[in-house]
Amino acid sequence: YIQFIATIYQVPQAEVATRANELYNYFFEDSSLFDNKKPLKSFSTGMMKKVQIICSVIHKPAILLLDEP
């Protein structure tokens, strides 16, 4: 999913894995929780929110506005 979003934002393929790993390591303390083959619907609500934030910053936006849900 993160790779798909990065493609939409036109992030170069050579940088997608590097950026995704950096962001993943920032948001998730235990890297064993993440499995590329695990369906997103099996993630907890908190994990899904973290994935959504990773997707929103994968293209390094100049400005990021966050609002409370």
Side-chain angles (χ1 to χ4, degrees):
Y1 180 73
I2 295 171
Q3 291 178 346
F4 172 71
I5 298 297
T7 302
I8 291 173
Y9 283 124
Q10 299 177 348
V11 177
Q13 284 295 324
E15 297 178 21
V16 172
T18 304
R19 288 187 194 176
N21 284 334
E22 288 173 1
L23 291 167
Y24 177 78
N25 289 332
Y26 181 79
F27 284 102
F28 295 98
E29 294 176 5
D30 185 7
S31 61
S32 65
L33 292 174
F34 187 71
D35 182 8
N36 286 331
K37 301 190 187 323
K38 191 174 184 180
L40 286 176
K41 64 182 177 181
S42 67
F43 283 14
S44 68
T45 303
M47 286 179 70
M48 278 300 300
K49 289 187 184 285
K50 289 177 182 181
V51 169
Q52 291 169 350
I53 293 172
I54 289 171
C55 289
S56 66
V57 297
I58 191 81
H59 66 291
K60 295 184 179 178
I63 297 174
L64 181 64
L65 301 175
L66 300 174
D67 189 21
E68 292 183 57

Short mmCIF file of all heavy atoms in Angstrom, two decimals:
data_model
loop_
_atom_site.label_atom_id
_atom_site.label_comp_id
_atom_site.label_asym_id
_atom_site.label_seq_id
_atom_site.Cartn_x
_atom_site.Cartn_y
_atom_site.Cartn_z
N TYR A 1 0.82 -1.19 0.00
CA TYR A 1 0.00 0.00 0.00
C TYR A 1 0.87 1.26 0.00
O TYR A 1 0.60 2.20 -0.73
CB TYR A 1 -0.94 -0.03 1.20
CG TYR A 1 -1.84 1.17 1.30
CD1 TYR A 1 -2.91 1.32 0.43
CD2 TYR A 1 -1.63 2.15 2.25
CE1 TYR A 1 -3.74 2.42 0.52
CE2 TYR A 1 -2.45 3.24 2.35
CZ TYR A 1 -3.51 3.38 1.47
OH TYR A 1 -4.33 4.47 1.56
N ILE A 2 1.91 1.26 0.81
CA ILE A 2 2.80 2.42 0.88
C ILE A 2 3.49 2.63 -0.46
O ILE A 2 3.62 3.77 -0.92
CB ILE A 2 3.82 2.25 2.02
CG1 ILE A 2 3.09 2.24 3.37
CG2 ILE A 2 4.87 3.35 1.99
CD1 ILE A 2 3.96 1.87 4.56
N GLN A 3 3.89 1.56 -1.11
CA GLN A 3 4.52 1.68 -2.44
C GLN A 3 3.53 2.22 -3.46
O GLN A 3 3.90 3.03 -4.32
CB GLN A 3 5.06 0.34 -2.89
CG GLN A 3 6.25 -0.12 -2.10
CD GLN A 3 6.75 -1.49 -2.53
OE1 GLN A 3 6.08 -2.21 -3.24
NE2 GLN A 3 7.94 -1.83 -2.09
N PHE A 4 2.29 1.82 -3.38
CA PHE A 4 1.26 2.32 -4.29
C PHE A 4 1.07 3.82 -4.10
O PHE A 4 1.04 4.58 -5.08
CB PHE A 4 -0.06 1.57 -4.04
CG PHE A 4 -1.22 2.15 -4.79
CD1 PHE A 4 -1.30 1.99 -6.17
CD2 PHE A 4 -2.22 2.82 -4.13
CE1 PHE A 4 -2.37 2.52 -6.86
CE2 PHE A 4 -3.29 3.35 -4.81
CZ PHE A 4 -3.37 3.20 -6.19
N ILE A 5 0.98 4.27 -2.87
CA ILE A 5 0.81 5.70 -2.58
C ILE A 5 2.04 6.48 -3.05
O ILE A 5 1.91 7.57 -3.62
CB ILE A 5 0.54 5.93 -1.08
CG1 ILE A 5 -0.75 5.25 -0.65
CG2 ILE A 5 0.52 7.42 -0.75
CD1 ILE A 5 -2.01 5.76 -1.34
N ALA A 6 3.22 5.94 -2.83
CA ALA A 6 4.45 6.61 -3.29
C ALA A 6 4.45 6.75 -4.81
O ALA A 6 4.90 7.77 -5.33
CB ALA A 6 5.67 5.83 -2.82
N THR A 7 3.93 5.76 -5.51
CA THR A 7 3.84 5.83 -6.96
C THR A 7 2.89 6.95 -7.38
O THR A 7 3.17 7.69 -8.33
CB THR A 7 3.36 4.49 -7.54
OG1 THR A 7 4.26 3.47 -7.13
CG2 THR A 7 3.30 4.54 -9.06
N ILE A 8 1.78 7.10 -6.68
CA ILE A 8 0.84 8.18 -6.98
C ILE A 8 1.50 9.54 -6.80
O ILE A 8 1.31 10.45 -7.60
CB ILE A 8 -0.42 8.06 -6.10
CG1 ILE A 8 -1.22 6.83 -6.50
CG2 ILE A 8 -1.27 9.33 -6.19
CD1 ILE A 8 -2.39 6.53 -5.59
N TYR A 9 2.31 9.67 -5.75
CA TYR A 9 3.02 10.93 -5.49
C TYR A 9 4.27 11.08 -6.35
O TYR A 9 5.02 12.04 -6.19
CB TYR A 9 3.41 11.03 -4.02
CG TYR A 9 2.28 11.39 -3.10
CD1 TYR A 9 1.96 10.58 -2.02
CD2 TYR A 9 1.55 12.55 -3.27
CE1 TYR A 9 0.93 10.92 -1.15
CE2 TYR A 9 0.53 12.90 -2.41
CZ TYR A 9 0.22 12.08 -1.36
OH TYR A 9 -0.79 12.41 -0.49
N GLN A 10 4.53 10.14 -7.23
CA GLN A 10 5.67 10.15 -8.15
C GLN A 10 7.02 10.18 -7.43
O GLN A 10 7.95 10.87 -7.84
CB GLN A 10 5.55 11.31 -9.13
CG GLN A 10 4.31 11.23 -9.98
CD GLN A 10 4.13 12.41 -10.90
OE1 GLN A 10 4.81 13.42 -10.77
NE2 GLN A 10 3.22 12.28 -11.84
N VAL A 11 7.12 9.42 -6.35
CA VAL A 11 8.39 9.26 -5.66
C VAL A 11 9.22 8.28 -6.49
O VAL A 11 8.73 7.24 -6.90
CB VAL A 11 8.17 8.69 -4.23
CG1 VAL A 11 9.50 8.44 -3.54
CG2 VAL A 11 7.30 9.61 -3.42
N PRO A 12 10.48 8.62 -6.79
CA PRO A 12 11.32 7.71 -7.58
C PRO A 12 11.41 6.33 -6.93
O PRO A 12 11.55 6.21 -5.71
CB PRO A 12 12.69 8.39 -7.59
CG PRO A 12 12.40 9.83 -7.32
CD PRO A 12 11.18 9.85 -6.45
N GLN A 13 11.29 5.28 -7.75
CA GLN A 13 11.30 3.91 -7.24
C GLN A 13 12.54 3.60 -6.43
O GLN A 13 12.49 2.82 -5.49
CB GLN A 13 11.17 2.92 -8.41
CG GLN A 13 9.78 2.83 -8.97
CD GLN A 13 8.80 2.27 -7.96
OE1 GLN A 13 9.13 1.40 -7.17
NE2 GLN A 13 7.59 2.80 -7.97
N ALA A 14 13.67 4.20 -6.78
CA ALA A 14 14.91 3.93 -6.05
C ALA A 14 14.85 4.46 -4.62
O ALA A 14 15.55 3.96 -3.75
CB ALA A 14 16.09 4.59 -6.79
N GLU A 15 13.99 5.44 -4.36
CA GLU A 15 13.91 6.05 -3.04
C GLU A 15 12.76 5.51 -2.20
O GLU A 15 12.73 5.74 -0.98
CB GLU A 15 13.74 7.56 -3.18
CG GLU A 15 14.91 8.24 -3.84
CD GLU A 15 14.68 9.73 -4.00
OE1 GLU A 15 13.85 10.29 -3.28
OE2 GLU A 15 15.34 10.31 -4.86
N VAL A 16 11.81 4.83 -2.79
CA VAL A 16 10.62 4.39 -2.07
C VAL A 16 10.97 3.49 -0.90
O VAL A 16 10.52 3.71 0.23
CB VAL A 16 9.62 3.69 -3.02
CG1 VAL A 16 8.49 3.06 -2.24
CG2 VAL A 16 9.09 4.66 -4.04
N ALA A 17 11.76 2.46 -1.13
CA ALA A 17 12.09 1.52 -0.06
C ALA A 17 12.87 2.20 1.06
O ALA A 17 12.61 1.95 2.24
CB ALA A 17 12.90 0.35 -0.62
N THR A 18 13.80 3.08 0.70
CA THR A 18 14.59 3.78 1.72
C THR A 18 13.71 4.66 2.59
O THR A 18 13.79 4.61 3.81
CB THR A 18 15.68 4.64 1.04
OG1 THR A 18 16.46 3.81 0.20
CG2 THR A 18 16.56 5.31 2.07
N ARG A 19 12.86 5.47 1.95
CA ARG A 19 11.98 6.36 2.70
C ARG A 19 10.98 5.57 3.54
O ARG A 19 10.73 5.91 4.70
CB ARG A 19 11.21 7.28 1.76
CG ARG A 19 12.05 8.34 1.13
CD ARG A 19 11.18 9.30 0.37
NE ARG A 19 11.97 10.15 -0.51
CZ ARG A 19 11.47 11.03 -1.34
NH1 ARG A 19 10.16 11.18 -1.43
NH2 ARG A 19 12.25 11.76 -2.09
N ALA A 20 10.42 4.53 2.97
CA ALA A 20 9.44 3.72 3.70
C ALA A 20 10.09 3.09 4.93
O ALA A 20 9.50 3.08 6.01
CB ALA A 20 8.84 2.65 2.79
N ASN A 21 11.30 2.57 4.79
CA ASN A 21 12.00 1.96 5.94
C ASN A 21 12.33 3.00 7.01
O ASN A 21 12.20 2.73 8.20
CB ASN A 21 13.27 1.25 5.47
CG ASN A 21 12.96 -0.06 4.80
OD1 ASN A 21 11.95 -0.68 5.07
ND2 ASN A 21 13.84 -0.47 3.91
N GLU A 22 12.77 4.19 6.59
CA GLU A 22 13.07 5.24 7.56
C GLU A 22 11.82 5.62 8.34
O GLU A 22 11.86 5.73 9.57
CB GLU A 22 13.61 6.48 6.84
CG GLU A 22 15.00 6.34 6.30
CD GLU A 22 15.42 7.55 5.47
OE1 GLU A 22 14.62 8.50 5.31
OE2 GLU A 22 16.55 7.53 4.96
N LEU A 23 10.72 5.83 7.63
CA LEU A 23 9.48 6.22 8.30
C LEU A 23 8.95 5.08 9.16
O LEU A 23 8.45 5.31 10.26
CB LEU A 23 8.44 6.64 7.26
CG LEU A 23 8.76 7.95 6.55
CD1 LEU A 23 7.86 8.13 5.33
CD2 LEU A 23 8.62 9.12 7.50
N TYR A 24 9.05 3.87 8.65
CA TYR A 24 8.57 2.73 9.42
C TYR A 24 9.34 2.59 10.73
O TYR A 24 8.75 2.41 11.79
CB TYR A 24 8.70 1.44 8.59
CG TYR A 24 8.29 0.26 9.40
CD1 TYR A 24 6.95 -0.03 9.61
CD2 TYR A 24 9.24 -0.55 10.02
CE1 TYR A 24 6.57 -1.09 10.40
CE2 TYR A 24 8.86 -1.60 10.80
CZ TYR A 24 7.53 -1.87 10.99
OH TYR A 24 7.16 -2.90 11.79
N ASN A 25 10.65 2.71 10.66
CA ASN A 25 11.46 2.61 11.88
C ASN A 25 11.17 3.74 12.85
O ASN A 25 11.31 3.58 14.05
CB ASN A 25 12.95 2.58 11.52
CG ASN A 25 13.35 1.28 10.86
OD1 ASN A 25 12.74 0.25 11.11
ND2 ASN A 25 14.35 1.33 10.02
N TYR A 26 10.76 4.90 12.34
CA TYR A 26 10.42 6.03 13.20
C TYR A 26 9.10 5.77 13.95
O TYR A 26 8.98 6.06 15.13
CB TYR A 26 10.31 7.31 12.37
CG TYR A 26 9.98 8.53 13.18
CD1 TYR A 26 10.96 9.17 13.91
CD2 TYR A 26 8.69 9.03 13.22
CE1 TYR A 26 10.66 10.29 14.67
CE2 TYR A 26 8.38 10.14 13.98
CZ TYR A 26 9.37 10.77 14.69
OH TYR A 26 9.06 11.88 15.45
N PHE A 27 8.11 5.21 13.26
CA PHE A 27 6.79 5.04 13.84
C PHE A 27 6.60 3.72 14.58
O PHE A 27 5.79 3.63 15.49
CB PHE A 27 5.70 5.17 12.76
CG PHE A 27 5.45 6.59 12.35
CD1 PHE A 27 5.97 7.09 11.18
CD2 PHE A 27 4.72 7.43 13.16
CE1 PHE A 27 5.75 8.39 10.80
CE2 PHE A 27 4.48 8.74 12.80
CZ PHE A 27 5.00 9.23 11.61
N PHE A 28 7.29 2.69 14.17
CA PHE A 28 7.11 1.37 14.78
C PHE A 28 8.40 0.98 15.49
O PHE A 28 9.45 0.88 14.88
CB PHE A 28 6.77 0.31 13.73
CG PHE A 28 5.44 0.53 13.07
CD1 PHE A 28 5.36 1.14 11.84
CD2 PHE A 28 4.28 0.11 13.69
CE1 PHE A 28 4.14 1.34 11.22
CE2 PHE A 28 3.05 0.30 13.07
CZ PHE A 28 2.98 0.92 11.84
N GLU A 29 8.31 0.72 16.79
CA GLU A 29 9.50 0.35 17.56
C GLU A 29 9.94 -1.08 17.25
O GLU A 29 11.12 -1.37 17.16
CB GLU A 29 9.20 0.46 19.05
CG GLU A 29 8.95 1.88 19.50
CD GLU A 29 8.56 1.94 20.96
OE1 GLU A 29 8.58 0.91 21.64
OE2 GLU A 29 8.24 3.05 21.41
N ASP A 30 8.98 -1.98 17.08
CA ASP A 30 9.29 -3.38 16.84
C ASP A 30 9.09 -3.70 15.37
O ASP A 30 7.97 -3.78 14.89
CB ASP A 30 8.38 -4.27 17.71
CG ASP A 30 8.74 -5.74 17.61
OD1 ASP A 30 9.77 -6.06 16.98
OD2 ASP A 30 8.00 -6.56 18.16
N SER A 31 10.19 -3.89 14.65
CA SER A 31 10.08 -4.12 13.21
C SER A 31 9.48 -5.48 12.87
O SER A 31 9.06 -5.71 11.75
CB SER A 31 11.46 -3.99 12.55
OG SER A 31 12.34 -4.95 13.07
N SER A 32 9.39 -6.37 13.86
CA SER A 32 8.80 -7.67 13.58
C SER A 32 7.28 -7.59 13.45
O SER A 32 6.64 -8.52 12.96
CB SER A 32 9.16 -8.66 14.70
OG SER A 32 8.58 -8.26 15.91
N LEU A 33 6.67 -6.47 13.86
CA LEU A 33 5.23 -6.31 13.72
C LEU A 33 4.81 -6.13 12.27
O LEU A 33 3.68 -6.40 11.91
CB LEU A 33 4.75 -5.09 14.52
CG LEU A 33 4.84 -5.18 16.03
CD1 LEU A 33 4.46 -3.84 16.64
CD2 LEU A 33 3.93 -6.27 16.55
N PHE A 34 5.73 -5.63 11.46
CA PHE A 34 5.40 -5.31 10.07
C PHE A 34 5.74 -6.48 9.17
O PHE A 34 6.84 -6.99 9.19
CB PHE A 34 6.16 -4.07 9.64
CG PHE A 34 5.76 -3.56 8.30
CD1 PHE A 34 4.53 -2.96 8.12
CD2 PHE A 34 6.61 -3.68 7.22
CE1 PHE A 34 4.15 -2.48 6.88
CE2 PHE A 34 6.25 -3.21 5.99
CZ PHE A 34 5.02 -2.60 5.82
N ASP A 35 4.77 -6.88 8.37
CA ASP A 35 4.97 -7.95 7.41
C ASP A 35 4.38 -7.48 6.09
O ASP A 35 3.19 -7.17 6.02
CB ASP A 35 4.28 -9.23 7.88
CG ASP A 35 4.49 -10.40 6.94
OD1 ASP A 35 5.29 -10.27 5.99
OD2 ASP A 35 3.85 -11.43 7.14
N ASN A 36 5.19 -7.39 5.05
CA ASN A 36 4.72 -6.90 3.75
C ASN A 36 3.59 -7.73 3.17
O ASN A 36 2.81 -7.25 2.37
CB ASN A 36 5.87 -6.85 2.74
CG ASN A 36 6.81 -5.70 3.02
OD1 ASN A 36 6.39 -4.67 3.55
ND2 ASN A 36 8.06 -5.87 2.68
N LYS A 37 3.48 -8.97 3.57
CA LYS A 37 2.45 -9.84 3.02
C LYS A 37 1.18 -9.85 3.88
O LYS A 37 0.19 -10.45 3.51
CB LYS A 37 3.00 -11.24 2.86
CG LYS A 37 4.21 -11.28 1.93
CD LYS A 37 4.61 -12.67 1.59
CE LYS A 37 5.88 -12.79 0.83
NZ LYS A 37 6.20 -11.83 -0.14
N LYS A 38 1.21 -9.17 5.00
CA LYS A 38 0.07 -9.14 5.90
C LYS A 38 -0.96 -8.13 5.37
O LYS A 38 -0.62 -7.00 5.06
CB LYS A 38 0.55 -8.70 7.29
CG LYS A 38 -0.44 -8.86 8.38
CD LYS A 38 0.24 -8.52 9.71
CE LYS A 38 -0.71 -8.76 10.85
NZ LYS A 38 -0.07 -8.43 12.13
N PRO A 39 -2.23 -8.54 5.24
CA PRO A 39 -3.24 -7.61 4.73
C PRO A 39 -3.48 -6.45 5.69
O PRO A 39 -3.45 -6.62 6.91
CB PRO A 39 -4.49 -8.47 4.57
CG PRO A 39 -4.22 -9.76 5.23
CD PRO A 39 -2.76 -9.87 5.50
N LEU A 40 -3.72 -5.27 5.13
CA LEU A 40 -3.93 -4.08 5.97
C LEU A 40 -5.13 -4.22 6.88
O LEU A 40 -5.14 -3.69 7.98
CB LEU A 40 -4.11 -2.84 5.08
CG LEU A 40 -2.86 -2.31 4.42
CD1 LEU A 40 -3.20 -1.14 3.52
CD2 LEU A 40 -1.84 -1.88 5.46
N LYS A 41 -6.15 -4.95 6.44
CA LYS A 41 -7.35 -5.08 7.27
C LYS A 41 -7.08 -5.86 8.55
O LYS A 41 -7.88 -5.80 9.48
CB LYS A 41 -8.49 -5.71 6.48
CG LYS A 41 -8.25 -7.12 6.04
CD LYS A 41 -9.43 -7.63 5.23
CE LYS A 41 -9.15 -9.04 4.73
NZ LYS A 41 -10.25 -9.53 3.93
N SER A 42 -5.94 -6.55 8.63
CA SER A 42 -5.61 -7.28 9.86
C SER A 42 -4.86 -6.39 10.86
O SER A 42 -4.63 -6.81 11.99
CB SER A 42 -4.77 -8.51 9.52
OG SER A 42 -3.51 -8.13 9.02
N PHE A 43 -4.49 -5.17 10.47
CA PHE A 43 -3.79 -4.25 11.37
C PHE A 43 -4.76 -3.68 12.38
O PHE A 43 -5.94 -3.50 12.10
CB PHE A 43 -3.16 -3.10 10.59
CG PHE A 43 -1.90 -3.44 9.84
CD1 PHE A 43 -1.51 -4.74 9.63
CD2 PHE A 43 -1.10 -2.45 9.34
CE1 PHE A 43 -0.37 -5.05 8.94
CE2 PHE A 43 0.06 -2.73 8.65
CZ PHE A 43 0.43 -4.04 8.46
N SER A 44 -4.25 -3.32 13.54
CA SER A 44 -5.07 -2.65 14.54
C SER A 44 -5.33 -1.21 14.08
O SER A 44 -4.69 -0.71 13.15
CB SER A 44 -4.36 -2.63 15.89
OG SER A 44 -3.22 -1.80 15.83
N THR A 45 -6.26 -0.55 14.75
CA THR A 45 -6.60 0.83 14.37
C THR A 45 -5.39 1.75 14.51
O THR A 45 -5.14 2.58 13.64
CB THR A 45 -7.75 1.35 15.26
OG1 THR A 45 -8.86 0.47 15.11
CG2 THR A 45 -8.16 2.75 14.87
N GLY A 46 -4.63 1.59 15.57
CA GLY A 46 -3.44 2.41 15.77
C GLY A 46 -2.39 2.19 14.70
O GLY A 46 -1.77 3.14 14.22
N MET A 47 -2.19 0.94 14.33
CA MET A 47 -1.22 0.63 13.27
C MET A 47 -1.68 1.21 11.94
O MET A 47 -0.87 1.72 11.16
CB MET A 47 -1.01 -0.87 13.15
CG MET A 47 -0.19 -1.44 14.29
SD MET A 47 0.06 -3.21 14.17
CE MET A 47 1.15 -3.33 12.78
N MET A 48 -2.98 1.16 11.67
CA MET A 48 -3.51 1.72 10.42
C MET A 48 -3.29 3.23 10.36
O MET A 48 -2.94 3.78 9.33
CB MET A 48 -4.99 1.41 10.27
CG MET A 48 -5.28 0.03 9.73
SD MET A 48 -4.58 -0.25 8.09
CE MET A 48 -5.39 1.02 7.14
N LYS A 49 -3.48 3.90 11.49
CA LYS A 49 -3.26 5.35 11.53
C LYS A 49 -1.79 5.68 11.26
O LYS A 49 -1.49 6.64 10.57
CB LYS A 49 -3.72 5.92 12.86
CG LYS A 49 -5.24 5.91 13.00
CD LYS A 49 -5.67 6.62 14.25
CE LYS A 49 -7.17 6.52 14.43
NZ LYS A 49 -7.94 7.35 13.56
N LYS A 50 -0.90 4.87 11.79
CA LYS A 50 0.53 5.08 11.53
C LYS A 50 0.86 4.87 10.06
O LYS A 50 1.63 5.63 9.48
CB LYS A 50 1.37 4.15 12.41
CG LYS A 50 1.34 4.53 13.87
CD LYS A 50 2.13 3.54 14.71
CE LYS A 50 2.06 3.89 16.17
NZ LYS A 50 2.84 2.97 17.01
N VAL A 51 0.28 3.86 9.45
CA VAL A 51 0.50 3.61 8.02
C VAL A 51 -0.04 4.80 7.21
O VAL A 51 0.59 5.23 6.24
CB VAL A 51 -0.17 2.29 7.58
CG1 VAL A 51 -0.18 2.16 6.07
CG2 VAL A 51 0.54 1.10 8.21
N GLN A 52 -1.17 5.34 7.60
CA GLN A 52 -1.73 6.50 6.90
C GLN A 52 -0.82 7.72 7.02
O GLN A 52 -0.65 8.46 6.06
CB GLN A 52 -3.13 6.82 7.45
CG GLN A 52 -4.15 5.77 7.11
CD GLN A 52 -5.46 5.94 7.87
OE1 GLN A 52 -5.55 6.74 8.80
NE2 GLN A 52 -6.45 5.18 7.48
N ILE A 53 -0.23 7.92 8.19
CA ILE A 53 0.71 9.04 8.35
C ILE A 53 1.95 8.81 7.49
O ILE A 53 2.44 9.74 6.84
CB ILE A 53 1.08 9.24 9.83
CG1 ILE A 53 -0.15 9.72 10.61
CG2 ILE A 53 2.24 10.23 9.98
CD1 ILE A 53 0.05 9.77 12.11
N ILE A 54 2.46 7.58 7.46
CA ILE A 54 3.62 7.27 6.61
C ILE A 54 3.29 7.59 5.16
O ILE A 54 4.08 8.20 4.44
CB ILE A 54 4.04 5.80 6.79
CG1 ILE A 54 4.67 5.60 8.16
CG2 ILE A 54 5.01 5.38 5.67
CD1 ILE A 54 4.94 4.15 8.52
N CYS A 55 2.09 7.22 4.72
CA CYS A 55 1.68 7.48 3.34
C CYS A 55 1.56 8.98 3.07
O CYS A 55 1.82 9.43 1.95
CB CYS A 55 0.36 6.79 3.04
SG CYS A 55 0.51 5.01 2.93
N SER A 56 1.19 9.74 4.07
CA SER A 56 1.02 11.18 3.86
C SER A 56 2.35 11.93 3.83
O SER A 56 2.41 13.05 3.31
CB SER A 56 0.11 11.77 4.93
OG SER A 56 0.71 11.71 6.19
N VAL A 57 3.42 11.36 4.36
CA VAL A 57 4.71 12.06 4.35
C VAL A 57 5.76 11.36 3.49
O VAL A 57 6.90 11.82 3.45
CB VAL A 57 5.25 12.25 5.80
CG1 VAL A 57 4.32 13.12 6.60
CG2 VAL A 57 5.50 10.93 6.48
N ILE A 58 5.38 10.30 2.79
CA ILE A 58 6.36 9.55 1.99
C ILE A 58 6.99 10.41 0.89
O ILE A 58 8.13 10.21 0.51
CB ILE A 58 5.71 8.27 1.39
CG1 ILE A 58 6.77 7.35 0.79
CG2 ILE A 58 4.69 8.61 0.32
CD1 ILE A 58 7.47 6.51 1.78
N HIS A 59 6.28 11.41 0.43
CA HIS A 59 6.79 12.26 -0.65
C HIS A 59 7.45 13.54 -0.14
O HIS A 59 7.77 14.44 -0.91
CB HIS A 59 5.68 12.60 -1.64
CG HIS A 59 4.60 13.46 -1.07
ND1 HIS A 59 3.72 13.01 -0.12
CD2 HIS A 59 4.27 14.74 -1.31
CE1 HIS A 59 2.88 13.99 0.19
NE2 HIS A 59 3.20 15.05 -0.52
N LYS A 60 7.69 13.62 1.16
CA LYS A 60 8.36 14.75 1.82
C LYS A 60 7.67 16.08 1.49
O LYS A 60 8.25 16.95 0.85
CB LYS A 60 9.84 14.81 1.42
CG LYS A 60 10.64 13.63 1.90
CD LYS A 60 12.11 13.80 1.56
CE LYS A 60 12.90 12.62 2.08
NZ LYS A 60 14.32 12.73 1.73
N PRO A 61 6.43 16.25 1.94
CA PRO A 61 5.73 17.50 1.65
C PRO A 61 6.37 18.69 2.37
O PRO A 61 6.92 18.54 3.46
CB PRO A 61 4.31 17.25 2.17
CG PRO A 61 4.49 16.23 3.24
CD PRO A 61 5.64 15.37 2.79
N ALA A 62 6.28 19.86 1.75
CA ALA A 62 6.84 21.07 2.36
C ALA A 62 6.02 21.47 3.58
O ALA A 62 6.58 21.97 4.57
CB ALA A 62 6.87 22.20 1.34
N ILE A 63 4.72 21.29 3.51
CA ILE A 63 3.82 21.63 4.61
C ILE A 63 2.91 20.45 4.87
O ILE A 63 2.38 19.84 3.94
CB ILE A 63 2.97 22.87 4.27
CG1 ILE A 63 3.86 24.08 4.05
CG2 ILE A 63 1.95 23.16 5.36
CD1 ILE A 63 3.12 25.30 3.57
N LEU A 64 2.70 20.14 6.14
CA LEU A 64 1.81 19.06 6.52
C LEU A 64 0.85 19.58 7.57
O LEU A 64 1.26 20.01 8.64
CB LEU A 64 2.60 17.87 7.07
CG LEU A 64 1.80 16.63 7.49
CD1 LEU A 64 1.12 16.02 6.28
CD2 LEU A 64 2.69 15.64 8.18
N LEU A 65 -0.44 19.57 7.24
CA LEU A 65 -1.47 20.02 8.17
C LEU A 65 -2.17 18.81 8.74
O LEU A 65 -2.71 17.99 7.99
CB LEU A 65 -2.47 20.93 7.46
CG LEU A 65 -1.91 22.17 6.82
CD1 LEU A 65 -3.00 22.91 6.05
CD2 LEU A 65 -1.28 23.09 7.85
N LEU A 66 -2.18 18.68 10.05
CA LEU A 66 -2.85 17.59 10.72
C LEU A 66 -3.98 18.15 11.57
O LEU A 66 -3.80 19.15 12.25
CB LEU A 66 -1.87 16.80 11.59
CG LEU A 66 -0.69 16.17 10.87
CD1 LEU A 66 0.27 15.55 11.88
CD2 LEU A 66 -1.17 15.11 9.90
N ASP A 67 -5.10 17.51 11.54
CA ASP A 67 -6.25 17.94 12.31
C ASP A 67 -6.74 16.77 13.13
O ASP A 67 -6.63 15.61 12.71
CB ASP A 67 -7.36 18.44 11.37
CG ASP A 67 -8.49 19.10 12.11
OD1 ASP A 67 -8.29 19.54 13.25
OD2 ASP A 67 -9.58 19.18 11.53
N GLU A 68 -7.32 17.05 14.28
CA GLU A 68 -7.87 15.98 15.10
C GLU A 68 -9.09 15.40 14.41
O GLU A 68 -9.91 16.13 13.87
CB GLU A 68 -8.28 16.53 16.47
CG GLU A 68 -7.11 16.96 17.31
CD GLU A 68 -7.57 17.41 18.67
OE1 GLU A 68 -8.23 16.62 19.35
OE2 GLU A 68 -7.28 18.55 19.04
N PRO A 69 -9.21 14.08 14.45
CA PRO A 69 -10.40 13.47 13.82
C PRO A 69 -11.64 13.67 14.66
O PRO A 69 -11.63 13.95 15.79
CB PRO A 69 -10.05 11.98 13.76
CG PRO A 69 -8.87 11.79 14.62
CD PRO A 69 -8.26 13.12 14.90
#
